Amino acid sequence: MESPTFVRFQLGAQLRRVREEANVTAEQAAEVIEVSASTLRRIEAGRVGIKGPALNALLDRYGVTDAELRDTLLSMAKSGKQRGWWAKYGDLPSSYRQYIGLESAAEEVQNFETLVVPGLLQTADYARAMTSEDAFEPSPEAVERRVAVRMQRQELITSGKLRLVAVLDEAVLRRQIGGAAIMADQLTALLEASKRWNVSVQVIPFREGAYASMLSSFHILNFAEGPGVVYIEGLTGDLYAEGEDVRRCTVVFNSLRAAALSPTDSAAMIEEIRDARRKE
């Protein structure tokens, strides 16, 4: 697996599973390795790694005697300590680093957006205009790092390693981010991306009225190995969900695709709005 983040995420899920099967609380497990319960939960969420001795201590407490399973988990712990390609960009938010790591290991992303173009399809100018408006006022250097990361993420698309299925509210096309010229170029980029074999773009028109999940954007990340994950970005923190939540969000996403225009009709709408932008 190329992404250490995905390895940590999978390791954390396994540790949570064996802990719950052993009927050990997070507080009890945390005492074993002398950390806080919140730190243990971060390990189980894949946000931080765990060293071999601490992992062995937890597995002993959980009563895990399967030698093959222990060896696998120890190997995952070692792989999870490696640095991903995004580390060279410096101090990115931890939640963003985790998402990039999971995205790098995914084989398909299903993305619903209500207000902005998906990051994997943004132009550099559009991404720069968006990032510059961050409420925390990042420095020009920080903005450029964010833009560079976003452009490198897009290599997953151009290389064919990742399939993207995007459903957009019509508002995404009409919100003028960066000015008319930047928005026209962004819509052209959307049209070009939609011609790729591994990209599907559909638009839910305003005339559709109310529809499922119209107030919440989300991503479903599907992997060749392991269960899928739902990612929802929030102002006060990001949410990752698994299991039944993935199934429920997949049902909602399929409903969104059914409510949206076909890819062909969506491209026609994008082109019409793009041409109008060019006249402004």
Side-chain angles (χ1 to χ4, degrees), residues 22-23 39 51-52 57 59 78 81 88 94 96 111 126 150 163 174 187 229 241 266 269 274-275:
N23 292 317
T39 296
K51 295 182 178 179
L59 296 179
K78 182 180 294 185
K81 290 189 290 185
K88 65 184 179 183
S94 60
Y96 189 37
N111 185 189
Y126 182 98
R150 196 152 299 181
R163 172 170 165 75
R174 296 194 179 277
L187 296 178
V229 177
S266 295
M269 172 180 277
R274 187 274 312 273
D275 292 345

Side-chain angles (χ1 to χ4, degrees), residues 11 13 17 32 35 38 40 48 91 95 112 134 137 141 144 219 229 251 258 260:
L11 172 61
R17 178 183 62 81
V32 173
V35 298
S38 62
L40 184 87
V48 296
D91 189 25
S95 58
F112 170 58
D134 191 299
E137 300 181 349
E141 295 77 13
E144 291 307 314
H219 304 65
V229 177
V251 170

Side-chain angles (χ1 to χ4, degrees), residues 1 3-15 43 46 48-59 68-83:
M1 296 178 185
S3 170
T5 304
F6 182 66
V7 176
R8 287 198 302 271
F9 193 86
Q10 294 295 84
L11 172 61
Q14 289 289 337
L15 287 176
I43 293 171
V48 296
I50 184 172
K51 295 182 178 179
L55 176 56
N56 274 318
L58 285 180
L59 296 179
E68 184 176 355
L69 175 58
R70 292 181 72 112
D71 287 345
T72 297
L73 297 181
L74 285 166
S75 177
M76 292 172 73
K78 182 180 294 185
S79 298
K81 290 189 290 185
Q82 298 175 7
R83 290 162 63 88

Side-chain angles (χ1 to χ4, degrees), residues 112 167-174 202-211 214 256-262 265-266 269 273:
F112 170 58
V167 177
L168 316 177
D169 190 285
E170 185 178 339
V172 173
L173 311 179
R174 296 194 179 277
Q202 292 180 254
V203 179
I204 300 179
F206 288 152
R207 65 173 181 268
E208 184 65 24
Y211 57 83
M214 64 183 296
L256 292 169
R257 293 194 72 184
L261 301 173
S262 69
D265 289 343
S266 295
M269 172 180 277
I273 296 173

Side-chain angles (χ1 to χ4, degrees), residues 138-152:
S139 66
E141 295 77 13
V143 169
E144 291 307 314
R145 281 198 301 272
R146 297 280 188 91
V147 173
V149 170
R150 196 152 299 181
M151 295 304 101
Q152 186 159 349

Side-chain angles (χ1 to χ4, degrees), residues 44-241:
E44 291 184 347
R47 293 186 178 271
V48 296
I50 184 172
K51 295 182 178 179
L55 176 56
N56 274 318
L58 285 180
L59 296 179
D60 288 343
R61 176 65 179 84
Y62 301 156
V64 177
T65 58
D66 185 323
E68 184 176 355
L69 175 58
R70 292 181 72 112
D71 287 345
T72 297
L73 297 181
L74 285 166
S75 177
M76 292 172 73
K78 182 180 294 185
S79 298
K81 290 189 290 185
Q82 298 175 7
R83 290 162 63 88
W85 61 260
W86 50 92
K88 65 184 179 183
Y89 290 101
D91 189 25
L92 297 171
S94 60
S95 58
Y96 189 37
R97 292 198 303 270
Q98 183 172 27
Y99 179 79
I100 294 172
L102 292 175
E103 180 186 74
S104 296
E107 66 173 8
E108 180 185 72
V109 173
Q110 296 172 312
N111 185 189
F112 170 58
E113 293 289 350
T114 60
L115 294 175
V116 300
V117 172
L120 289 171
L121 301 179
Q122 291 178 9
T123 65
D125 285 339
Y126 182 98
R128 188 174 293 110
M130 275 193 55
T131 307
S132 298
E133 294 301 319
D134 191 299
F136 294 100
E137 300 181 349
S139 66
E141 295 77 13
V143 169
E144 291 307 314
R145 281 198 301 272
R146 297 280 188 91
V147 173
V149 170
R150 196 152 299 181
M151 295 304 101
Q152 186 159 349
R153 284 172 55 202
Q154 293 179 7
E155 292 180 10
L156 292 169
I157 297 294
T158 57
S159 67
K161 291 181 61 178
L162 178 70
R163 172 170 165 75
L164 174 65
V165 183
V167 177
L168 316 177
D169 190 285
E170 185 178 339
V172 173
L173 311 179
R174 296 194 179 277
R175 181 171 295 277
Q176 188 166 288
I177 292 177
I182 287 177
M183 199 63 208
D185 288 344
Q186 175 61 78
L187 296 178
T188 297
L190 266 182
L191 288 169
E192 292 302 313
S194 67
K195 297 175 183 178
R196 292 184 175 277
W197 70 267
N198 57 331
V199 176
S200 173
V201 177
Q202 292 180 254
V203 179
I204 300 179
F206 288 152
R207 65 173 181 268
E208 184 65 24
Y211 57 83
S213 192
M214 64 183 296
L215 299 179
S216 178
S217 300
F218 61 91
H219 304 65
I220 304 172
L221 295 91
N222 295 310
F223 307 95
E225 301 177 38
V229 177
V230 171
Y231 169 74
I232 302 173
E233 185 177 6
L235 183 62
T236 58
D238 299 335
L239 171 67
Y240 289 92

